[in-house]
Amino acid sequence: AAPFAPTNGDALLTHVVFLDVDGVLRPIVGREDFMSHTNTMMVEGRRVCINSSGEAQVGMDFWPKSCQALKWLVSQSRAKVVLSSDWRKSGILRTGAGSALKDYGVKLVGETPIIEAPKGATSLMSARETRCREIRKFLR
């Protein structure tokens, strides 16, 4: 497959990080120690923090060391970061993740397309296969 051609005039992408959020930048269920000291709300199936003005503060529970490690990886490899997480399916979560990463100097350049799993598919393998198909489609 041909490398992804960005629209910003950069050279073709040859180094790409396909980024998941849950379990990579934050625990799968959210940082319980962090959540116990702040107000939270559910946003499209994910528990996120609420700032003092009552707005969702997506990314507030991201692990700083994970974000710093991602920044280091991107700076060393000159890779571009593409959101492949289910977070790309929600405008609030996608924007919040991009904003939180921007605070660490990491820019999201895109997201993988959404391909629905085949009807009746419920296994973890089906989810993995779907994610692989989404990444392959992005690369075409």
Side-chain angles (χ1 to χ4, degrees), residues 34 42 49 51 54 61 66 80 84 101 103-105 109 114 139:
F34 182 84
M42 294 298 287
C49 300
N51 65 20
D61 64 339
S66 294
K80 302 298 181 186
S84 62
L101 290 172
D103 290 344
Y104 288 92
V109 298
I114 297 168
L139 291 171

Side-chain angles (χ1 to χ4, degrees), residues 11-140:
L12 292 178
L13 291 183
T14 56
H15 297 88
V16 181
V17 173
F18 290 98
L19 182 64
D20 196 356
V21 172
D22 293 317
V24 177
L25 297 180
R26 69 189 292 260
I28 291 174
V29 295
R31 266 181 43 198
E32 296 305 325
D33 63 321
F34 182 84
M35 298 288 189
S36 66
H37 302 291
T38 189
N39 293 325
T40 63
M41 66 184 282
M42 294 298 287
V43 175
E44 308 220 8
R46 302 278 198 268
R47 182 161 300 284
V48 299
C49 300
I50 301 172
N51 65 20
S52 59
S53 64
E55 296 175 354
Q57 187 69 40
V58 176
M60 207 169 157
D61 64 339
F62 284 8
W63 289 318
K65 289 193 184 250
S66 294
C67 294
Q68 292 163 357
L70 178 62
K71 177 175 176 39
W72 180 86
L73 174 71
V74 168
S75 68
Q76 294 298 306
S77 66
R78 298 191 310 177
K80 302 298 181 186
V81 181
V82 174
L83 191 62
S84 62
S85 169
D86 280 348
W87 281 48
R88 73 195 191 285
K89 296 177 179 179
S90 160
I92 293 170
L93 296 176
R94 183 176 54 248
T95 301
S99 178
L101 290 172
K102 186 177 178 183
D103 290 344
Y104 288 92
V106 175
K107 179 182 177 190
L108 295 175
V109 298
E111 60 195 52
T112 54
I114 297 168
I115 298 175
E116 295 302 322
K119 293 207 186 293
T122 57
S123 72
L124 179 58
M125 184 55 81
S126 279
R128 288 179 181 161
E129 290 169 359
T130 299
R131 185 64 49 89
C132 289
R133 284 194 301 267
E134 291 167 340
I135 290 171
R136 280 194 303 269
K137 187 173 182 177
F138 178 88
L139 291 171
R140 287 189 187 128

